[in-house]
Amino acid sequence: MKCQHCEKPATFHITELTEPSGPTVMHLCEEHARTFLSTDGTATPASALASLLAKQLKMEKVAEDLAISDKKTCPICGISFADFRKGGRLGCAYDYVAFEDELEPLLVNIHGALAHTGKVPTNQSGSPERQHRLMQLKSEMKEAITKEDYETASRLRDKISNIESDDESSWTDDALEEDLDDEDEEDDTFQAEPPIV
Amino acid sequence: MRGHGPESDIVMSSRIRLARNLAEFPFIRKCTPKDRTAVATAVHRALDSLPLSADTEYVDVAKLGDLDRQFLMERQLISHELNESQGARAVILDPKERFSIMVNEEDHLRLQVMQSGLDLESAWKRMDQLDDQLESKLTYAFTKRLGYLTACPTNVGTGLRVSVMLHLPALVTTKQIDKVFRALNKINVAVRGLFGEGSQFMGDFYQISNQTTLGKSELGLVAKVQEVVPRLIEYERRARDFLVSESRQDLHDNVSRALGILCTAKKISSEETMHYLSKVRMGVNLGLIEDVKIPTVNKLFIHTQPAHLQKLCGRKLSVTDRNIERANYLQLHLIKRSENEKN
C-alpha cells in the first residue's frame, strides 16, 4: 500500500481519534507520518502531546541510525538506502540482500511477516546472490585476462559456466551462502552440494 | 464489466495481478533505455515461443498515441503508470480482454487476469497457468526466503494483488461506507477507487484488495479477499432493503431524476455521468427503473469515458465538445434503448 500523499510505501497506519468527523485512518510513508505527527499549532492538546512523543521517541533516535543506514550502497545497482527512502523503489533485486537489515523492520511493518510461503518457480536460478556471484566472477575473469593470468582466467571461466549451466535447485540461497563464505579458497569447491530440503 | 457472473448486481469484476521481475536486469528505476528495450525484447521473444502468442497481441505502448493509451487505460488493460511513463514499454493483450501483461511498468512484468462478477478462484487458476507459461521461458528474480522480488517492498513475496470491484451506492447513500472501510482496514484489506491506487471514488465503485503480499500463500490471500466480499454484499443489500422499505418514494424520485438528467442534459461531464449512472444502476437493480437494462448501463459507464467517446466519434474532441457528445450519446442509448426494449 502506498502513502496517501506520495508514491512511497505506507509504513505508518495512524488512526486519528480527535478529528471532529470521527476517527480517521491514515496510511503514510515515514516522511509524511513525521510531518503529520510534528504539525502542531491548531492541533488539539491530545495531538500536540502525540506529536511531542513522536518527536522524542521516534525522530531523534531514529535520525542517528538512519544517517548510518542512508549511506549504505548496493554494490550492484549503486543506489543508497537514502535513494530508496526518497523514491520508495529499489534499484535491483540485490538490494534485498544489500539492505537486508534496513528492509527487515520495514517488511515486518508492511506485511507482518518475513517469510514467503507462496508459489515457488520451477526455475530457481533467479536468486540475486547468484546474479551477484556471476557478476563478481566475470569481473575477476576480466581482470585476470588484463593481467595475462590465463590460468586463473580459465579457472574462473569454468566456474562461471558451472553456475550458468546449473540453473536448477543447487543454486539456492543456502548453497550460495556457504559458498560465499569460502570465497578465498583456491580449490574448486564453489559448486556446493545441493542442499537437503 | 459485462454485467454477468455471480452477484453481478453488486460485484462488477474480479481481478488478480502478479508482479514479476527478470533476474538479469536491474529494477525499472535503474534500467537504462537499453535495459528497458532488452527487457521488452526478452519478454516478446519468450511470448513468441509459447502457444499463448497465437491468440494475443503484443502492443508497443511507446509507439501509441495519447488517445490509444488512454483508451487502454479506461478499459483497465494498462495502468496509469504505464500510460504516463516514458521509454520502452508494452502490453500483451488477450482479444477477449480476459488478461493483459504489462511490460516495464513499476516492475518488469505485471500480469493481470480479469473476470466478470465474483470468481476469484478461477481467476487465480488462470493466472497461475499464465505465470507458469511465462516462467518456463523467463528467469524471475526470486529467493526462497522472500519469494518474488519486486521494486517496491509492498509487493514482495507473492507479488499478488487480489481485487474485487464493487458497486456500493446504498452504503454511500446511507453514509455507512466509512464505517465499512474502517472495519476493512483493521483486517488489512485495502479500499481503492475505480482505477486502483490513488484514484478517486467514482460512480460509487470501490476496489477492495489485500494489503499484504508476504507471509501468506496465494490461495490464502485469495481466500482473505473472497471471505470479505459476501459480507460487503450483504451490507449493501441490507442498505438497499432499508432504503426501499424506509424511503421508497424518495429513492424512486432520486433514481428517476438521475435518469431524467442523463436523458435530457445537453452537456455533461464524465464525473457527473458516472454519478447519475450509478444511481440509475441501483434503480434498475431494485426494479425502480424498468425500461433500462443493466448491460446497457455497464456499457455506458465505459463508453462515456473521454477516450472511448473520442474513439466512437472517430476524432479528437475538446472538453466542451466531449461534454456535448457525451450527452448525445447517453440520450441515444438510454432513450432509444428504452423505446426498443418496450417494443
Side-chain angles (χ1 to χ4, degrees), chain B residues 8-10 167 240 280-289 294:
Chain B
S8 62
D9 58 331
I10 295 172
H167 187 224
R240 289 181 186 188
V280 169
R281 193 174 190 276
M282 175 162 68
V284 177
N285 277 328
L286 291 175
L288 299 169
I289 295 174
I294 286 295

Side-chain angles (χ1 to χ4, degrees), chain A residues 1-2 7 9-10 13 22-25 27 77-79 83-84 87-96 100 103-104 106-107 110-129 131 172-174 195 197, chain B residues 18 20 23-31 81 106 124 127-129 131-132 135 138-158 161 182 185 188 190-192 197 211-218:
Chain A
M1 178 175 222
K2 283 175 202 157
E7 287 286 292
H13 306 280
T24 324
V25 184
H27 307 282
C77 71
I79 73 158
D83 293 335
F84 161 68
R89 300 279 196 286
L90 295 163
C92 75
Y94 197 76
D95 290 354
Y96 282 99
E100 190 182 353
L103 287 175
E104 219 160 76
L106 188 74
L107 291 174
I110 301 169
H111 302 283
L114 267 178
H116 176 59
T117 52
K119 189 172 174 174
V120 171
T122 345
N123 169 4
Q124 282 185 38
S125 59
S127 96
E129 285 95 342
Q131 292 299 124
T172 58
D173 309 338
D174 304 342
V197 183
Chain B
L18 285 181
R20 298 287 188 252
E24 315 86 284
F25 298 96
F27 290 156
I28 294 294
R29 71 171 278 182
K30 289 299 281 184
C31 271
E81 183 148 342
E106 183 182 306
W124 165 247
M127 173 57 94
D128 196 20
Q129 286 166 3
D131 183 48
D132 284 347
E135 195 245 35
L138 297 164
T139 306
Y140 291 153
F142 177 90
T143 65
K144 269 197 167 169
R145 201 170 77 90
L146 288 178
Y148 295 92
L149 304 177
T150 51
C152 184
T154 51
N155 295 315
V156 78
T158 54
R161 185 81 66 221
R182 282 202 294 277
N185 253 308
N188 279 332
V191 185
R192 301 186 168 93
E197 218 151 314
Q211 235 165 36
T212 64
T213 53
L214 181 68
K216 276 203 168 62
S217 71
E218 287 80 1

Side-chain angles (χ1 to χ4, degrees), chain A residues 28-66:
Chain A
L28 304 168
C29 68
E30 196 182 305
E31 203 175 297
H32 281 109
R34 273 194 211 193
T35 318
F36 172 76
L37 290 170
S38 62
T39 27
D40 34 28
T42 56
T44 59
S47 65
L49 182 68
S51 84
L52 203 72
L53 274 172
K55 265 182 202 153
Q56 294 230 315
L57 292 173
K58 294 202 168 76
M59 293 171 205
E60 282 163 30
K61 192 140 192 239
V62 171
E64 268 173 48
D65 298 342
L66 269 178

Side-chain angles (χ1 to χ4, degrees), chain B residues 29-46:
Chain B
R29 71 171 278 182
K30 289 299 281 184
C31 271
T32 60
K34 215 171 135 194
D35 287 332
R36 286 182 78 110
T37 311
V39 169
T41 311
V43 175
H44 200 170
R45 203 171 288 157

